[in-house]
Amino acid sequence: MREVAFIKQNKEKWLDFEQAIFGKSKKNPDELASLYIHLVNDLAYAQTYYTKSKTVVYLNYLASQTYQKIYKTKREDTNRLVYFFKTEVPLIVFSYRRYILYAFILFTLLTSIGVISAKNDDSFVRLILGDGYVNMTLENIKDGNPVAVYKSGSNWGSFIGITLNNLKVGAMSYFYGIFFGIGTFWVLIQNCIMLGSFQYFFYQEGVFWESVRGIWIHGSMEIFAMVIEAGAGFALGASILFPKTFSRLNSFKIGFQNSFKIFLSTMPFTIMAGFLEGYITRYSIDMPKPLSIGIILITLAMISFYYLVYPFIVNKKIKN
C-alpha cells in the first residue's frame, strides 16, 4: 500500500486519537487501551514500509502520548495487575478468539480419538498410561476408591509437584507454538489422547462417575487452561506463518507480545487447579456428591466465563 493511501485510510482514526489525548473528547482508560492496540499495529506497519517517513515520527509520538494518557487517567484504585486481568487480557482474548476456538475443536477431536482407540484396542490404555499405573488403578478400583492415587504423598508436596508439572506442560504447549504451531499441536495430541483413553478406562471398569467426581474437581481448570494455552501457542505460530501486511519479524513481535499475555493469564487457574488436586481431590470419594459436583461446576463456570464470555462483555463495553 502506498503511504498516501495508508494515511487516507487511517486519518479519521488518528484524529480520534488526538481528540482523546489532548482532551477534546473524553474516553476512559479501557477505551484508550483498545485504541492503543490499533495504533501500535499502525506504527509497526509504518516502520516496516515507510521507514524514513514523517508518518512514523507522528505515529510514534501519538503512541507514546496515548500510553501516558492510559496510565495517567486510570483510576487510583486500579493497579497494573488488576488492569491486566480485568481489561487487557480479555481484549486480547477477544482479538485472538479464533485460535482458542481452533484449540477447543482440536481438543474435542483428539480426546475422541483417545476414547475410540481405547474402546477398540484393549492394549491401548496400557500403551499410553503404562502397565504400572493401570495395575495400580485396577487395585484401587477393587478397594473401592478409583482415584486413590491422589491420596499418595502429602498435601503440600502434591500441590507443589503437581503445580510445577502443570506449569511446565502449559509452557511447552505455548512456547512450542514457535515451531509454526506444530509443537503445540504435538503437545495437545499427547495430552488429549491420554485424557480420552484415561476416562474411557474408568468407563470400561464401571466407575466412570466416581472418576469424574474426583478427576474433574481439579481437571475443570487444569484441562481448560491447557486448551487456552494451546490457543495462545497457535496464535504465536500464526504470527509467523501469516504476517499479513506486516514484516514477518514485526508480526512475530506483535503475536508474541499478545499471545504471551494470554499464556500468563492461565497461571492463576493452573495454580488453583494444583491446589485443588493436592488438597481437595483426595477427599472426593468421601465428600457428599452435591459438594464434589458443586466444586466442579463452580470452577468450570469461573474459567469458562473469564475466557469465553467476559471478553465479549469487555469488547462491547469499549465499543459503546
Side-chain angles (χ1 to χ4, degrees), residues 135-163:
N135 292 334
M136 178 188 65
T137 304
L138 287 172
E139 288 297 321
N140 290 336
I141 292 173
K142 289 180 182 179
D143 294 337
N145 188 356
V147 292
V149 65
Y150 296 109
K151 284 191 173 183
S152 60
S154 63
N155 290 348
W156 67 269
S158 297
F159 164 52
I160 294 174
I162 289 165
T163 301

Side-chain angles (χ1 to χ4, degrees), residues 15 37 47 59 71 88 94 96 121 126 151 178 180 183 189-190 210 234 249 256-257 286 290 294 296 302 306 314 316:
L15 289 174
I37 291 173
Q47 287 174 328
L59 291 177
Y71 291 96
E88 189 172 6
F94 182 84
Y96 288 85
D121 185 349
R126 290 183 177 275
K151 284 191 173 183
I178 200 171
F180 312 110
I189 286 177
Q190 292 178 310
E210 289 84 349
F234 289 136
L249 179 59
F256 174 74
Q257 183 182 41
D286 302 315
I296 293 170
M302 286 173 60
Y306 185 72
V314 175
K316 185 177 180 181

Side-chain angles (χ1 to χ4, degrees), residues 90-277:
L91 285 175
I92 295 173
V93 168
F94 182 84
S95 299
Y96 288 85
R97 61 191 181 280
R98 73 173 69 178
Y99 300 106
I100 292 176
L101 174 61
Y102 299 156
F104 271 105
I105 292 173
L106 287 173
F107 167 79
T108 303
L109 292 175
L110 294 172
T111 303
S112 299
I113 290 173
V115 172
I116 295 170
S117 299
K119 180 179 180 181
N120 291 283
D121 185 349
D122 293 336
S123 64
F124 187 77
V125 174
R126 290 183 177 275
L127 177 66
I128 297 297
L129 300 177
D131 289 331
Y133 188 85
V134 171
N135 292 334
M136 178 188 65
T137 304
L138 287 172
E139 288 297 321
N140 290 336
I141 292 173
K142 289 180 182 179
D143 294 337
N145 188 356
V147 292
V149 65
Y150 296 109
K151 284 191 173 183
S152 60
S154 63
N155 290 348
W156 67 269
S158 297
F159 164 52
I160 294 174
I162 289 165
T163 301
L164 289 176
N165 179 70
N166 290 342
L167 289 172
K168 176 185 175 183
V169 172
M172 290 169 59
S173 182
Y174 170 65
F175 286 108
Y176 282 10
I178 200 171
F179 301 109
F180 312 110
I182 297 174
T184 296
F185 182 61
W186 175 246
V187 175
L188 202 58
I189 286 177
Q190 292 178 310
N191 286 280
C192 290
I193 290 181
M194 182 184 296
L195 174 64
S197 60
F198 185 57
Q199 281 289 197
Y200 185 79
F201 170 64
F202 286 110
Y203 172 80
Q204 195 174 38
E205 296 300 321
V207 289
F208 177 74
W209 288 113
E210 289 84 349
S211 72
V212 168
R213 285 176 54 206
I215 296 168
W216 290 92
I217 281 179
H218 62 271
S220 293
M221 283 191 172
E222 179 185 322
I223 300 302
F224 203 111
M226 179 188 75
V227 178
I228 299 299
E229 288 156 355
F234 289 136
L236 179 62
S239 70
I240 301 172
L241 285 173
F242 311 110
K244 297 182 180 179
T245 57
F246 301 108
S247 69
R248 203 169 297 276
L249 179 59
N250 281 331
S251 177
F252 170 70
K253 288 179 180 179
I254 295 170
F256 174 74
Q257 183 182 41
N258 291 331
S259 61
F260 184 66
K261 290 175 181 178
I262 297 176
F263 165 65
L264 284 179
S265 73
T266 66
M267 287 188 175
F269 294 104
T270 301
I271 293 171
M272 191 179 299
F275 173 82
L276 291 171
E277 188 170 353

